[in-house]
Amino acid sequence: MAARGEQGLERVRVKLEQCLKDRDFYHAHQMYRTLYFRLSRQLKWSQSADVMFEGSEKLLVNGELNSGADLASLFVEVLNKGKIPASADVIQRLAKLHSMMKAHSPERMAFTVKCIEYSSAWAPTEAGTVLETMRGNDRVSSNRNTESLSVMNAASPSVSATPRKGCSFGHPDLHRLLAINFWQEKNFSDARYHFIHSTDGTNFARMLVEFHTSRGYRSEVDLFIAQAVLQFLCLKNQQTATVAFLVYTRGHPAVQGAPPFALPLLNFLWFLLLAVESRAKLAIFTLLCDKYRSSLDRDPTYRLYLEKIGQIFFGKQPSHGRETSGMFGGGFLGNMINQLMAGLGDDMDEDEELSISTEDVD
């Protein structure tokens, strides 16, 4: 019985190869679907996934966008049915098919949603991520130079952060590769969305610099990074928030400097990240928000973000419509910096420690 099944598969493969050779892509598509059904009945999920990826790639390369997208959808379906983990190889395959589809097409949008849902459900628990694979054996250790917000070099390094745990919004490595696809297409809006759900603060910051310098107003230079940092913190992704802030402020031609910055909102973000890193008390967070209220009032969404950040990192109780207020005399910034810096030396749990490595940019 098994032998007859293999013989049947081989006959379909022979017909498929002939269709591809004759550039008969319609019938080639049908042969791929036949292989999908037969391999699925035999529960050969890994083999079926390989065939669907191969077929989708070949059809998309030859301009058969609808047929290629159909096989790409079957590829994700096989991954789900076979409970195949979202490994580095699988994520790279998904991102490659995504890059080959027509931008803004309904098929691509549907495929993107399916990919994110799959990567959320079948993220590996122990396997290395795409980011880890790309970094090779480059790991942060106590023997290497590390950097936090309290020590900012004048150089412009490439900064990387350890990927965060949890994939409820989709695998962060998948989001990273999708973001890069959109960035290459100059679709900054979609790129920004996916970068927010990744752990790639370096490329996100570089994309924001390009986004602002090509399409933003000069007066918005601080707004572009502010929203990103606050959203990362709301997602409990403080490491990537820090990386994005460092790379953006060092790489943007209108900033390029170390704190204190000329723009108050950038100083607020710097102090906020210091407060989060040092696990400062709620009083510091409250004073910080009050001191920079005029800058924060430039965007009404900041108040909502900060409400959430206060609850996550500073133990703030949910407010009930009340607004904090207060007037502060001279010496506030100096006292606040001293308190923040004093907390940087406190012991932190190993899984909470902020560890950021720096390397020279190629």
Side-chain angles (χ1 to χ4, degrees):
M1 188 71 177
R4 286 201 299 271
E6 287 298 325
Q7 291 174 359
L9 288 173
E10 185 58 29
R11 285 194 296 270
V12 176
R13 290 192 183 97
V14 171
K15 292 180 181 179
L16 171 61
E17 290 301 320
Q18 188 60 48
C19 290
L20 292 173
K21 186 179 298 184
D22 296 338
R23 299 186 64 80
D24 182 359
F25 297 118
Y26 172 80
H27 286 101
H29 180 211
Q30 301 309 310
M31 292 299 101
Y32 275 118
R33 289 187 64 87
T34 299
L35 288 173
Y36 160 76
F37 287 115
R38 294 194 179 187
L39 290 170
S40 296
R41 281 199 298 267
Q42 297 178 29
L43 304 182
K44 295 182 177 180
W45 302 116
S46 295
Q47 187 176 348
S48 181
D50 289 339
V51 172
M52 291 305 101
F53 172 75
E54 170 199 290
S56 178
E57 185 179 30
K58 287 184 177 180
L59 293 179
L60 289 171
V61 164
N62 286 281
E64 299 294 321
L65 302 181
N66 291 334
S67 298
D70 176 61
L71 295 186
S73 179
L74 291 180
F75 175 52
V76 180
E77 186 175 318
V78 169
L79 295 175
N80 278 308
K81 289 182 176 179
K83 301 180 181 180
I84 299 175
S87 64
D89 177 67
V90 170
I91 287 176
Q92 288 173 331
R93 285 184 167 193
L94 292 172
K96 183 174 185 180
L97 295 180
H98 177 271
S99 70
M100 298 173 71
M101 293 182 181
K102 185 178 180 180
H104 307 294
S105 66
E107 292 80 9
R108 191 196 215 189
M109 294 174 63
F111 177 71
T112 302
V113 172
K114 290 180 179 179
C115 289
I116 293 173
E117 291 176 345
Y118 155 74
S119 71
S120 298
W122 303 109
T125 56
E126 297 181 358
T129 64
V130 172
L131 286 175
E132 291 170 336
T133 301
M134 294 178 67
R135 292 173 186 146
N137 295 322
D138 184 11
R139 295 289 184 270
V140 178
S141 69
S142 59
N143 295 325
R144 297 187 56 186
N145 292 330
T146 59
E147 180 182 25
S148 69
L149 277 165
S150 57
V151 182
M152 299 183 68
N153 297 328
S156 299
S158 174
V159 190
S160 59
T162 304
R164 63 187 171 92
K165 299 177 182 178
C167 298
S168 58
F169 297 99
H171 200 296
D173 293 344
L174 175 63
H175 279 296
R176 173 187 181 274
L177 296 179
L178 295 181
I180 290 175
N181 286 346
F182 286 120
W183 181 14
Q184 291 173 342
E185 298 169 359
K186 305 305 178 185
N187 183 345
F188 296 111
S189 178
D190 285 345
R192 188 191 181 287
Y193 168 81
H194 289 286
F195 269 129
I196 279 291
H197 293 291
S198 78
T199 55
D200 188 357
T202 297
N203 278 316
F204 186 23
R206 290 170 179 165
M207 187 277 292
L208 287 178
V209 171
E210 181 182 342
F211 189 11
H212 176 258
T213 54
S214 62
R215 301 187 184 181
Y217 293 104
R218 183 174 180 81
S219 60
E220 297 174 331
V221 60
D222 50 350
L223 300 182
F224 272 62
I225 188 60
Q227 188 179 51
V229 168
L230 296 179
Q231 288 179 343
F232 273 132
L233 292 178
C234 286
L235 292 171
K236 303 180 182 179
N237 194 353
Q238 70 184 81
Q239 293 182 343
T240 309
T242 301
V243 170
F245 179 78
L246 294 177
V247 175
Y248 185 88
T249 54
R250 289 167 172 169
H252 199 295
V255 182
Q256 287 186 333
F261 301 100
L263 298 171
L265 186 57
L266 293 182
N267 286 321
F268 169 79
L269 296 174
W270 179 54
F271 290 135
L272 176 62
L273 290 169
L274 279 172
V276 170
E277 181 181 352
S278 64
R279 296 189 291 184
K281 295 181 179 180
L282 176 60
I284 294 296
F285 173 73
T286 302
L287 293 178
L288 181 60
C289 292
D290 284 343
K291 183 66 177 180
Y292 286 93
R293 176 175 296 182
S294 60
S295 295
L296 297 174
D297 284 343
R298 292 168 63 192
D299 189 329
T301 62
Y302 292 169
R303 190 178 302 276
L304 300 177
Y305 293 144
L306 291 170
E307 175 71 20
K308 184 67 174 178
I309 291 168
Q311 295 171 24
I312 293 172
F313 295 103
F314 302 99
K316 184 179 185 297
Q317 295 299 314
S319 62
H320 302 285
R322 295 186 303 172
E323 297 184 4
T324 58
S325 61
M327 299 295 292
F328 307 97
F332 163 76
L333 290 180
N335 292 334
M336 184 178 68
I337 293 174
N338 289 334
Q339 293 183 59
L340 290 175
M341 293 302 180
L344 289 176
D346 295 342
D347 292 335
M348 301 179 69
D349 294 337
E350 183 176 356
D351 61 346
E352 294 179 347
E353 184 175 0
L354 179 64
S355 183
I356 303 173
S357 65
T358 60
E359 297 178 349
D360 294 335
V361 178
D362 293 335

